[in-house]
Amino acid sequence: MVEFKTISAGVTAADAMVKAAAVELIEAQAVCPGKYIAVITGNLSAVDAAVETAKKQYEEQLIDSFVLGNPHVGIFPAIYGTTQIDHVSSLGILETYDAAAIIVAADAAAKTADVELIELRIAKGLCGKSYLLLCGEVSAVTAAIDRAKNEAKSGGMYLDSSVIAHPDPQICKSIL
């Protein structure tokens, strides 16, 4: 994924990425506040080459980028709101200042403990901020949020987080 300060740079960079290597553009859109994200998939070396092309050619407008070699299977359902959750024993919430950091943090969280990603909200209607919601047993959620927090802090994008043991059914209904 790449995230740019301007829509113009983002669209142009996304075009350069798909021309630079055999990758598939799975999401490319404007997000708040007037930023642009592009998410690609493909062979790891092709994805690396495409992201490097965008980073080098549009460095001044780049906010952040990442390449995940083996993304957790729960990432895409959480992004697209298709995750099916039956029960929330405890709830973890983490917020970041940008879009790229939340996906990397969510991947780290999901690979750390036995948790389910509920939602990844990527800078839409949030003035550029992003958040994740995940659930599982309290100890697993705590470990996952701690790992995600450390991941987001390493890039300077961490904003806030919390863990709620046994959230009220009204809260669960509002997030599911």
Side-chain angles (χ1 to χ4, degrees):
M1 176 179 173
V2 291
E3 181 177 6
F4 287 94
K5 295 176 190 174
T6 67
I7 295 166
S8 174
V11 172
T12 308
D15 181 66
M17 287 171 34
V18 298
K19 289 177 178 174
V23 296
E24 180 184 350
L25 188 64
I26 58 172
E27 184 152 352
Q29 65 180 320
V31 295
C32 294
K35 300 185 302 182
Y36 196 86
I37 61 169
V39 181
I40 60 172
T41 187
N43 174 296
L44 183 57
S45 60
V47 171
D48 274 331
V51 169
E52 282 305 312
T53 296
K55 287 169 57 176
K56 287 178 184 173
Q57 290 183 7
Y58 305 96
E59 184 177 356
E60 289 184 23
Q61 298 299 328
L62 181 70
I63 294 172
D64 202 356
S65 67
F66 67 86
V67 174
L68 293 175
N70 186 21
H72 188 274
V73 296
I75 295 286
F76 292 107
I79 290 172
Y80 296 115
T82 59
T83 304
Q84 298 294 316
I85 305 293
D86 296 324
H87 174 71
V88 177
S89 178
S90 65
L91 177 67
I93 307 119
L94 184 119
E95 295 176 71
T96 62
Y97 286 110
D98 76 340
I102 202 66
I103 297 173
V104 173
D107 185 63
K111 290 176 178 175
T112 295
D114 185 17
V115 295
E116 292 183 78
L117 296 171
I118 299 171
E119 181 180 4
L120 288 175
R121 178 72 58 94
I122 304 172
K124 296 174 188 168
L126 299 169
C127 295
K129 296 188 314 179
S130 297
Y131 71 86
L132 69 81
L133 299 172
L134 56 81
C135 65
E137 295 303 317
V138 176
S139 60
V141 168
T142 301
I145 290 296
D146 286 347
R147 177 69 177 99
K149 181 178 177 178
N150 289 335
E151 190 68 42
K153 277 186 173 181
S154 72
M157 290 293 140
Y158 173 76
L159 178 59
D160 196 13
S161 62
S162 59
V163 174
I164 303 170
H166 312 293
D168 188 276
Q170 294 179 75
I171 294 297
C172 296
K173 182 179 176 184
S174 76
I175 63 168
L176 297 178

